[in-house]
Amino acid sequence: MFKINGSVQMECALLYTFLEVSSDCKFREQLHSLQSQGPFLRGSYYYDDEVELQTDGNRSGHLQNGELVFDPQVNEEVVRIIAAQLAEIGDQFDKEIKARVVNDLVQHFLNENLSGEEITRRMSEAVEGLARAIPSDMEQEKAMLVLAMVLTKKIANTMPSLLQRVFSTTVNYISQQLHNYIVRMLRE
């Protein structure tokens, strides 16, 4: 499965595993092909200073034998357990997310003229709006993480062909906004 190496791969592995263990995932085939395509390398809207862009457009150092490589202090089983817990919370939030929010995001993802930064900004606005609208007694960062991942699932359920773009955007958003929270969560 996944192995993590560097900052963005934690987010990739957590989101991938969240989607993999989520209920009502209508895009499992695309999800499994996403891993084999190495979407964490191609078409991504995040930047990893530790990795050089090669002449073929791929980033070096992310995959080893076709799989992501984990930092030794991050346990794959811990990622799986946390993703499963977050997916359970996501099932509760799922019902609270209005179709209009998802459909608006789908339209943004379909708009090829929007930059990766602009789409990430739209995703961020949607997550923040939902975090304010959905009452929750959990910490704000956890709620925002779950909401971003549930939105990813709902967008991909609506239009599976958008999976790679929405996955990359969500990883970018999580990496920019919630990276330190994820590091703390995985080490606890």
Side-chain angles (χ1 to χ4, degrees):
M1 177 65 189
F2 284 114
K3 299 207 185 311
I4 296 180
N5 163 1
S7 60
V8 175
Q9 288 74 21
M10 264 189 306
E11 288 85 353
C12 286
L14 189 61
L15 178 57
Y16 183 93
T17 306
F18 173 91
L19 295 172
E20 188 178 53
V21 300
S22 287
S23 65
D24 188 37
C25 180
K26 299 172 184 165
F27 52 90
R28 294 219 186 271
E29 186 176 313
Q30 290 87 344
L31 185 62
H32 294 296
S33 71
L34 183 70
Q35 181 185 10
S36 65
Q37 292 172 15
F40 322 111
L41 308 175
R42 292 186 288 278
S44 299
Y45 302 108
Y46 54 80
Y47 302 93
D48 188 348
D49 295 332
E50 301 169 1
V51 180
E52 293 179 9
L53 188 63
Q54 297 176 347
T55 55
D56 64 358
N58 287 328
R59 296 187 181 276
S60 65
H62 282 264
L63 294 181
Q64 182 174 40
N65 299 324
E67 293 190 356
L68 287 172
V69 180
F70 270 83
D71 201 357
Q73 71 262 29
V74 180
N75 183 323
E76 180 180 355
E77 189 58 30
V78 170
V79 170
R80 186 164 281 296
I81 290 167
I82 290 172
Q85 291 168 349
L86 295 175
E88 284 181 31
I89 296 166
D91 287 344
Q92 297 164 13
F93 281 175
D94 188 275
K95 300 168 193 70
E96 302 294 325
I97 298 174
K98 305 282 186 248
R100 181 187 52 77
V101 174
V102 175
N103 291 333
D104 286 350
L105 283 171
V106 166
Q107 292 310 309
H108 294 311
F109 278 102
L110 287 171
N111 184 347
E112 296 288 331
N113 295 324
L114 289 180
S115 69
E117 288 177 6
E118 178 64 18
I119 294 208
T120 300
R121 189 179 65 73
R122 302 284 176 118
M123 172 72 92
S124 180
E125 290 170 356
V127 169
E128 289 168 12
L130 288 168
R132 286 189 299 272
I134 297 174
S136 174
D137 57 352
M138 74 180 66
E139 57 192 312
Q140 182 77 5
E141 290 169 313
K142 184 182 239 177
M144 291 174 71
L145 176 62
V146 172
L147 286 166
M149 294 192 295
V150 170
L151 280 172
T152 301
K153 179 180 83 169
K154 290 178 86 65
I155 291 166
N157 274 343
T158 302
M159 188 160 290
S161 63
L162 291 174
L163 178 61
Q164 184 167 346
R165 190 168 192 204
V166 72
F167 187 95
S168 295
T169 300
T170 304
V171 167
N172 186 34
Y173 166 76
I174 292 171
S175 180
Q176 289 174 4
Q177 303 294 322
L178 301 166
H179 176 75
N180 292 336
Y181 174 74
I182 291 171
V183 168
R184 285 193 316 271
M185 188 173 54
L186 292 176
R187 294 211 170 124
E188 289 177 356

